[in-house]
């Protein structure tokens, strides 16, 4: 039977609210008696807190209460964090980054709260700070976390992370395969590439916002712009020693997350402040505060590969330092994810990977679209072009010679299934009219006077968070319409729509007969998170399970009424029918009425979907890292102005293996998002610091790509290799393409003008400096 | 406090304000019009776009006092009798949104553009809307939405 | 934002009187620069003089004899869209159009732009190249100052305490003069310029009769490329001549270091490139480089 809604780009369920400005975000919500909260922040990168004096602030008219470190120290559990529970609700004892929360004020309005911040006096004893990973791991460096920290209760994959308490190395991921030293020694060619990426912002348009309200019975409700309601609940439950059933987290529409809202950010401090003052409190961060809250990990990566003359890669080593900021946050996982992705989508029998998360005195780095892979892909895909150049091979041919395919063993020892990176790469190459040529040919060519053209490719595979758990429930009402309850958050990706499509498809209903209730922990069952491009697969499977549960109930009931065996029945057009006998059918409302009586009843459905794996050997990194793998590629066709170094993107192609594109337009739009975010961090974005203080924390000084920075042409390519466990074969798409953007552009720039930029962003100045060095070299010849 | 008299979405109201309030604060906090957003506070992102006497401005950088005697149009003022404005309809049909935090601003800017240049080229649209950021990257669909809005406006007239 | 009081005069004369009485008082026009500083807590005035409601100060007048005059409170979008400006001073309209985004241009005023004297701005370079003059009102009456003297440094102008800009006047357009404004950015389109080049020239049968080249956004104030101009004046236009003239521009600038948009080294590299490209645009086809030259 042909699909009813799967595979078609149905009109999105959230459209009307969004085009009328009536979609509600956390910062829009008002509660009776609500106060406005503001956070008092550290101005030093590393210091002991000697004294916090809030007396004058407390006396300001309109200030209702102030949360201090003493209040926080008295909480049952004053810290939280996705990996280690090391982030204090307010700084305790010392501050570890400029911007860290030291106190919080609740006042009748924003202006009063701001005025109160001016009256708070903190005395610090400054400590030496470490501002880069290199400084942090140097002999004698000041230590950010002197004591061992224990993991957060909910997830703990500490064992494979080589946690090193009492040092500034938070964790190290190790991967070993074969005999790397011997293989490198016997290789015909050995090349090293070293790269860096800076700290960047997620730059979701909606700043973090949260509103907390405790009722007289001790129940807490938090409306938050979060990607992670279930985990927020668990962390708050631990902080306040309150049972999960007394905490309600509601994520309304979220104005972009991209990982920045994947873990507790301001919810703990808002909840603590609300409890202190006994009234609802709302905090909405200013954009400057968002810059102080969470970033993407900066990283320094060094890759060495050995290849044979015939183009076979025989060995690779990867050393990566991820700058995780002042707290562990997602650092160890990010470093691990990037670590086992860094060998690339290639068959390499001998590997050594050391990927570390290092503390520095800056705001936390956290999950960011691509989760550790953008930082290493910037290296390994440019590294591939360098290898190809050394061998005199075409960059596409060299990759295709080594690329993994279905059933091949990848870096973690798993066998790849349904991640067709070869197809993604080939289609991107075609989309940019790739014609075979030796990589590095541009180094032999003279430069044109003004504009140089070049093309570049990049590809990768990426894991998803494993193990992973999604529950869903639903009901069919007496009229046959359906409601699905899902903890997935609508962050713009179209969750509400795809969930409705899956349920509608499985229940043979029109798409608009299914309503979806999202992300309210009082109503929607546990979902691990809306991250890691996991929702279509995990929540999709859970929703499919709910639909199957309802379907089985309908069929069991109908079997009696139709006097047929359930095995002889099927669903069609909102009815249960006997296969081959279209006349013998019962519509869903009739089935329910026969069961309960006229105008009564409902059917309830539920499902649990859990993926397994994620345990990797601590020494070798071998194991099942991921329930399923993503594959993607990018092709870039660029123009370089050799007199100014400016890079213009003529065409970008991005291919992802979606498994099955349930809503093709949504998939394309995710690729557009990956593209523009990728281009932003490739060409324009960088956070600058002065002794730990961000110096460009506004959109005036931190530039994001606009309509005018769109490539002249963009082609989104959806490859479909059905995954045997995905709902209707589908996987995720959200972040999959982003990691390939930077290296595709970097490779294209090198193809155009024969210089390789190793530090993002690719600014005109960097290109011009590299070109000048090249001309100087040539002039000297 | 002083009073400003401002016509918002066709209704004239008198609002007591402090000197340091912005138009954005008046719209969101005094008049309960939450459709206009704050994204950056410095006039770059465009999520706070409203039409002031028909001209798009950053309401986050407009002193409330300067709206005295002016006409303000916000997203809530578009469409009538339950029908969508052609620009809104165009955005809906083209799925020109993802998280939609930028959408109110995009729609208001588009409205202003089409009032000035009824038949803009793609280049003109990109240039005019370049001041409205979308991190979700929905630029292609917005261009399609503007096209669709023009068609709808033409067939309506 | 912290609390402050707004004094709201309805005429420029009144505004000038208030400012003259309290030299520490600052005026706010469009607010696009000042309000950002106030939100950041960098500038915390207790009182401000709001000029925005002085309707008499927002106008654009053109006549072929007197030239162009605009009131200080004219929004930048008013300059960009005015028919006479687009017809007779299209370079100025173009530079105005390139400022930030349409919303900022609807709020920001030309007087505010000039008085704020942000080094990295577009209109000042063109105004300097056009030989604009600034009318200042203050306690000692009214005076006119050529814009090149008015702009003294980053955020520094010839305004004395209690003074305000009343009007900016631009001489009548020179006949048969070609002009261009190039805004060069190293990041995204709406960003402040890394380099701006305003150039005007008139040629007669391939010989440069008049030439003015101004580089903005590089030095603290826009700067005339007098060496390049002197080289070009009276010369026959060719690709080689234009290149040589442009090369002189590299030493004529003393760039501000900017971590975000370009170092001193970088600006010195690209200034001659952009000057050359501007000259190619206004000196005719002979100005372009031949292949292989």
């Amino acid at each position: 039977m042909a699909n009813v809604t799967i595979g078609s780009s149905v009109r999105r369920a959230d459209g009307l609210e969004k085009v009328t400005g009536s979609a509600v975000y956390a910062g829009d919500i008002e509660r009776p008696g609500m106060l406005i909260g503001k956070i008092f922040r550290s101005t030093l990168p590393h210091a002991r807190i000697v004294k916090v004096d809030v007396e004058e602030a407390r006396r300001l008219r309109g200030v209702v209460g102030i949360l201090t470190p003493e209040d926080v120290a008295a909480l049952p559990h004053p810290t939280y964090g996705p990996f280690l529970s090391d982030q204090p609700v307010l700084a305790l004892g010392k501050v570890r980054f400029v911007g860290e929360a030291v106190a919080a004020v609740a006042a009748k309005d924003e202006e009063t709260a701001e005025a109160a911040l001016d009256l708070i006096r903190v005395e610090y004893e400054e400590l030496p700070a470490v501002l880069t990973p290199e400084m942090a791991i140097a002999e004698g460096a000041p230590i950010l976390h002197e004591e061992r920290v224990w993991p957060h209760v909910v997830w703990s994959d500490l064992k494979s992370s080589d946690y090193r308490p009492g040092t500034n190395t938070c964790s190290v991921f190790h991967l070993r395969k074969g005999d790397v030293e011997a293989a490198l020694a016997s290789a015909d060619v050995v090349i090293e590439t070293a790269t860096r990426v800076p700290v960047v912002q997620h730059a979701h348009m909606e700043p973090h916002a949260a509103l907390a309200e405790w009722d007289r019975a001790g129940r807490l409700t938090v409306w938050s712009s979060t990607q992670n309601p279930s985990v927020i609940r668990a962390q708050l439950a631990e902080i306040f020693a309150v049972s999960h059933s007394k905490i309600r987290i509601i994520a309304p529409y979220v104005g972009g997350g991209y990982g920045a809202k994947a873990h507790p950010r301001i919810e703990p401090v808002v909840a603590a402040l609300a409890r202190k003052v006994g009234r609802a409190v709302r905090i909405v961060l200013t954009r400057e505060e968002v810059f102080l809250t969470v970033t993407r990990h900066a990283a320094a990566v060094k890759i060495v590969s050995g290849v044979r003359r015939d183009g076979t890669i025989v060995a690779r080593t990867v050393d990566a330092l991820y700058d995780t900021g002042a707290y562990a946050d997602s650092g160890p996982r990010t470093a691990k994810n990037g670590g086992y992705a860094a060998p690339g989508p290639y068959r390499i029998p001998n590997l050594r990977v050391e990927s570390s998360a290092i503390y520095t005195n800056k705001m936390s780095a956290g999950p960011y679209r691509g989760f550790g892979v953008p930082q290493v892909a910037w290296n390994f895909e440019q590294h591939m072009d360098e290898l190809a150049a050394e061998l005199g091979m075409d960059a596409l041919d060299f990759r295709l010679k080594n690329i993994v395919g279905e059933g091949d063993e990848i870096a973690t020892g798993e066998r790849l299934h349904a991640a067709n990176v070869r197809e993604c790469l080939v289609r991107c190459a075609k989309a940019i009219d790739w014609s075979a040529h030796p990589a590095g040919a541009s180094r032999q060519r003279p430069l044109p006077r003004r504009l140089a053209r070049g093309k570049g490719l990049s590809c990768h595979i990426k894991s998803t968070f494993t193990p992973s758990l999604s529950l869903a429930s639903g009901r069919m009402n007496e009229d046959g319409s359906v409601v699905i309850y899902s903890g997935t958050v609508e962050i713009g990706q179209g969750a509400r729509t795809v969930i409705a499509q899956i349920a509608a498809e499985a229940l043979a209903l029109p798409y608009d007969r299914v309503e979806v209730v999202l992300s309210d922990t009082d109503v929607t069952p546990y979902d691990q998170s809306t991250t890691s491009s996991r929702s279509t697969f995990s929540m999709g499977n859970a929703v499919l399970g709910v639909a199957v549960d309802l379907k089985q109930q309908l069929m069991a009931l109908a079997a009696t009424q139709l006097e047929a065996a359930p095995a002889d029945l099927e669903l069609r057009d909102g009815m249960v029918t006997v296969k081959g006998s279209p006349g013998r059918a019962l519509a869903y409302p009739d089935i329910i009425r026969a069961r309960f009586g006229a105008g009564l009843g409902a059917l309830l459905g539920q499902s649990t979907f859990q993926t397994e794996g994620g345990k990797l050997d601590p020494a070798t990194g071998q194991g099942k890292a991921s329930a399923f793998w993503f594959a993607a590629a990018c092709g870039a066709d660029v123009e370089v102005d050799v007199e100014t170094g400016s890079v213009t993107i003529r065409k970008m192609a991005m291919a992802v293996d979606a498994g099955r594109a349930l809503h093709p337009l949504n998939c394309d739009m995710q690729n557009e998002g990956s593209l523009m975010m990728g281009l932003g961090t490739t060409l324009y974005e960088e956070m600058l610091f002065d002794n730990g203080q961000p110096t460009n924390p506004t959109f005036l000084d931190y530039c994001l790509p606009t309509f005018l920075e769109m490539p002249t042409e963009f082609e989104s390519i959806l490859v479909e290799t059905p995954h045997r466990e995905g709902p209707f074969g589908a996987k995720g798409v959200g972040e999959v393409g982003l990691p390939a953007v930077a290296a595709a552009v970097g490779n294209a720039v090198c193809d155009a003008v024969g210089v390789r930029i190793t530090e993002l962003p690719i600014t005109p100045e960097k290109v011009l400096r590299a070109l000048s060095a090249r001309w100087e070299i040539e002039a000297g010849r | 406090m002083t009073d400003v008299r401002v016509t918002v979405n066709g209704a004239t109201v008198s609002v007591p304000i402090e000197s340091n309030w912005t138009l954005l604060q008046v719209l969101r906090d005094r008049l309960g019009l939450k459709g206009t957003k704050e994204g950056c506070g410095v006039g770059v992102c465009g999520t706070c776009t409203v039409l002031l006497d028909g001209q798009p401005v950053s309401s986050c950088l407009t002193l409330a006092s300067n709206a005295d005697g002016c006409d303000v149009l916000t997203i809530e003022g578009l469409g009538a009798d339950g029908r969508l404005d052609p620009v809104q309809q165009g955005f809906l049909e083209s799925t020109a949104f993802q998280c939609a935090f930028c959408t109110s601003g995009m729609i208001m800017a588009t409205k202003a553009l089409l009032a000035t240049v009824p038949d803009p080229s793609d280049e003109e649209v990109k240039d005019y809307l370049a001041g409205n950021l979308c991190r979700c990257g929905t630029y292609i669909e917005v261009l399609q939405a503007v096209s669709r809005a023009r068609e709808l406006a033409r067939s309506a007239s | 934002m912290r609390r402050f009081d707004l004094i709201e005069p309805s005429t420029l004369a009144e505004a000038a009187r208030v400012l003259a009485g309290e030299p520490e008082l600052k005026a706010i026009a469009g607010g696009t620069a000042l309000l950002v500083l106030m939100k950041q807590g960098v500038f915390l005035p207790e009182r401000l003089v709001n000029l925005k409601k002085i309707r008499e100060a927002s106008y654009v007048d053109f006549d072929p004899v007197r030239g162009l005059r605009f009131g200080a409170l004219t929004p930048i979008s008013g300059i960009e869209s005015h028919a006479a400006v687009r017809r007779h001073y299209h370079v100025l309209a173009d530079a105005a159009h390139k400022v930030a985004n349409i919303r900022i241009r609807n709020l920001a005023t030309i007087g505010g732009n000039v008085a704020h004297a942000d080094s990295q701005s577009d209109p000042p370079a063109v105004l300097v190249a056009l030989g604009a003059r600034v009318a200042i009102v203050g306690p000692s009456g009214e005076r006119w100052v050529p814009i090149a003297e008015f702009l003294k440094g980053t955020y520094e102008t010839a305004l004395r305490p209690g003074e305000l800009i009343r009007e900016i006047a631009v001489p009548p357009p020179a006949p048969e003069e070609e002009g261009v404004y190039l805004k060069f950015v190293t990041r995204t389109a709406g960003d402040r310029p890394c380099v701006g080049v305003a150039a005007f020239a008139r040629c007669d049968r391939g010989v440069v009769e008049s030439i003015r080249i101004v580089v903005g956004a590089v030095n603290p104030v826009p700067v005339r490329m007098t060496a390049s101009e002197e080289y070009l004046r009276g010369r026959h236009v060719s690709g080689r001549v234009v290149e040589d003239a442009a090369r002189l521009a590299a030493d004529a600038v003393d760039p501000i270091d900017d971590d975000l948009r370009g170092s001193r080294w970088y600006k010195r590299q690209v200034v001659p490139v952009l000057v050359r490209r501007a000259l190619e645009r206004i000196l005719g086809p002979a100005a372009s480089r031949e292949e292989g030259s």
Side-chain angles (χ1 to χ4, degrees), chain B residues 48-72:
Chain B
C48 72
T49 308
V50 299
L51 303 192
L52 187 66
D53 288 342
Q55 302 299 313
V57 296
S58 293
S59 59
C60 73
L61 289 182
T62 305
L63 285 175
S65 176
N66 287 339
D68 190 34
C70 295
D71 247 291
V72 177

Side-chain angles (χ1 to χ4, degrees), chain A residues 3 25 65 128 158 171 175 180 216 225 240-241 384 409-410 506 589 765:
Chain A
N3 287 148
Y25 300 82
L158 212 45
S171 71
L175 191 147
V180 134
R216 306 297 288 271
S225 183
F240 297 104
M384 286 298 279
E409 191 179 304
I410 56 177
E765 175 154 358

Side-chain angles (χ1 to χ4, degrees), chain C residues 36-245:
Chain C
V36 171
L37 295 173
M38 287 161 68
K39 287 183 185 193
Q40 290 172 339
V42 168
F43 174 54
L44 294 169
E46 282 173 15
R47 299 159 76 218
L48 280 174
V49 178
N50 184 11
L51 304 177
K52 196 69 168 150
K53 295 180 177 175
I54 302 174
R55 311 249 183 235
E56 64 174 23
S58 176
Y59 55 85
V60 181
D61 282 339
F62 171 73
D63 84 54
V65 172
R66 289 192 347 143
L68 183 68
R69 286 168 182 254
F70 29 82
L73 272 299
T74 309
I76 299 199
S77 60
I79 292 169
E80 149 192 15
S81 62
H82 196 275
V85 181
R86 289 161 76 99
R87 174 117 188 271
H88 302 288
Y89 301 88
H90 71 91
V91 177
L92 181 59
D94 194 38
H97 177 73
K98 289 179 165 136
V99 173
N101 60 62
I102 182 66
R103 300 181 312 276
I104 295 294
R105 300 199 295 276
N106 282 330
L107 289 170
T109 64
I110 191 63
N113 178 272
V114 169
H116 189 56
D118 184 337
S119 303
Q120 291 167 310
S121 176
D122 300 296
V126 177
L127 290 172
V128 168
L130 288 172
R133 292 177 311 135
V134 182
I136 302 173
V137 291
S140 33
E142 177 162 317
R143 57 197 181 99
W144 284 89
V145 178
I147 189 148
E149 285 164 39
F150 181 85
L151 297 167
K152 294 175 107 71
T154 305
Y155 306 129
E156 219 192 300
T157 69
L159 283 178
R160 300 180 197 130
E163 288 189 321
L164 278 175
I165 298 178
R166 180 180 64 77
E167 179 181 275
I168 294 173
V170 183
E176 288 149 21
E177 198 172 63
E178 295 287 335
V180 72
Y181 177 69
L182 293 184
K183 174 180 180 177
F184 178 68
V185 292
T186 52
R187 303 191 303 172
T188 58
D191 194 16
R192 287 182 162 92
C194 170
V195 177
V197 178
F200 293 87
R202 190 180 74 249
C203 294
D204 184 25
R205 282 160 295 187
V207 173
V208 179
E209 295 220 310
S210 75
I211 176 81
R212 295 186 311 286
I213 308 166
V214 175
V215 170
V218 174
N219 284 28
V221 296
V223 58
R224 287 280 291 270
M225 300 287 103
T226 41
S228 305
E229 293 173 0
E230 270 159 30
Y231 183 84
L232 282 167
R233 220 168 271 123
R235 255 185 236 267
H236 213 94
V237 173
S238 74
R240 164 50 43 84
V241 160
V242 164
E243 260 198 81
D244 289 345

